[in-house]
Amino acid sequence: MRKILIGLSAALALLVGTVSAFAENGFGVGVALSQAKLSTSGHEVETGSQTAETNKVNDIQNSFAIGSIFAEYTYGWLTLGVDYIPSSAEVSDATHIRYDTETSVTGTATTTSTARTQKAAAQIKDHTTAYLEIGSALYAKAGFVQVTVDTDESLGTGSTYGNVDIEGTLLGVGYKSDWGSNGFIKVEGTFTDYDDISITSGVARTGVTTNNVVKADMDASQLKLGIGYRF
């Protein structure tokens, strides 16, 4: 699917690339500021013969501004580059707290009720994108993304989760123009579809031999303004 999407993006760029005013070849570096919206859907799956009702899917969103640096090389209608975000971003704008009640706790002869408090948060960091732009002034963009998801939780189930590296596919369109003798400006909109996330707990839930699993799906949309200098 990723190869198909990148191929479609390249074909679109060939159609619109005739709108041309930017034709400076060479190596360029710059900084960018993005307004991003991160959408995440996820849940914790508890395992074992006595399963608590914690499999509810939660949908969360967070909007924020974030900066990045980029380096790229342009030759004709083709631009190859790398974009790196040096700071981290929260997956949600708040720590999420849930109160669970589990009945028939493992190891008891009669029905028992146990209340547990679940607190969870996460952030993304080391966000790196290798991208290809096809077109001149108006361009289509496709990229390969790598990012680390850093979890932060305090779960009454006793579960603990580590960090995980995931990948994603970026698609978008943009416009770039010369600015002065060697400068340039880029404005673009992009959408990133990250791979599904699955993290297994490093500690099994109390009274259960198998470990819980967190599963999530994450997408991001961005509107970006970049300013660069071409050598």
Side-chain angles (χ1 to χ4, degrees), residues 5-190:
L5 291 176
I6 293 176
L8 290 175
S9 176
L12 175 62
L14 291 176
L15 291 176
V16 302
T18 53
V19 181
S20 176
F22 183 87
E24 292 293 331
N25 296 333
F27 179 74
V29 295
V31 296
L33 180 64
S34 301
Q35 180 62 36
K37 180 179 181 180
L38 196 63
S39 302
T40 307
S41 175
H43 63 289
E44 182 187 30
V45 180
E46 291 200 5
T47 59
S49 58
Q50 307 295 334
T51 302
E53 297 297 328
T54 61
N55 298 341
K56 179 182 178 181
V57 176
N58 290 322
D59 296 318
I60 55 177
Q61 294 183 342
N62 192 21
S63 296
F64 50 87
I66 196 164
S68 65
I69 55 177
F70 66 88
E72 61 185 33
Y73 182 81
T74 298
Y75 183 78
W77 285 5
L78 297 177
T79 297
L80 292 173
V82 176
D83 181 274
Y84 176 72
I85 299 176
S87 58
S88 60
E90 297 294 332
V91 171
S92 174
D93 57 0
T95 298
H96 288 261
I97 303 176
R98 187 183 70 234
Y99 303 97
D100 296 329
T101 300
E102 181 178 5
T103 59
S104 299
V105 177
T106 303
T108 62
T110 59
T111 299
T112 306
S113 177
T114 300
R116 289 175 171 144
T117 302
Q118 322 282 13
K119 298 181 180 180
Q123 62 178 219
I124 58 174
K125 62 182 183 180
D126 294 332
H127 193 286
T128 305
T129 305
Y131 60 85
L132 168 67
E133 296 171 357
I134 305 179
S136 187
L138 183 65
Y139 62 88
K141 183 171 187 174
F144 173 73
V145 179
Q146 288 186 319
V147 64
T148 297
V149 178
D150 189 355
T151 64
D152 181 18
E153 69 281 327
S154 175
L155 305 178
T157 59
S159 300
T160 59
Y161 294 94
N163 304 333
V164 62
D165 295 327
I166 61 173
E167 300 172 348
T169 301
L170 176 145
L171 292 174
V173 294
Y175 178 83
K176 55 187 172 182
S177 176
D178 294 329
W179 185 34
S181 58
N182 293 312
F184 62 94
I185 297 177
K186 303 171 68 173
V187 179
E188 63 184 37
T190 61

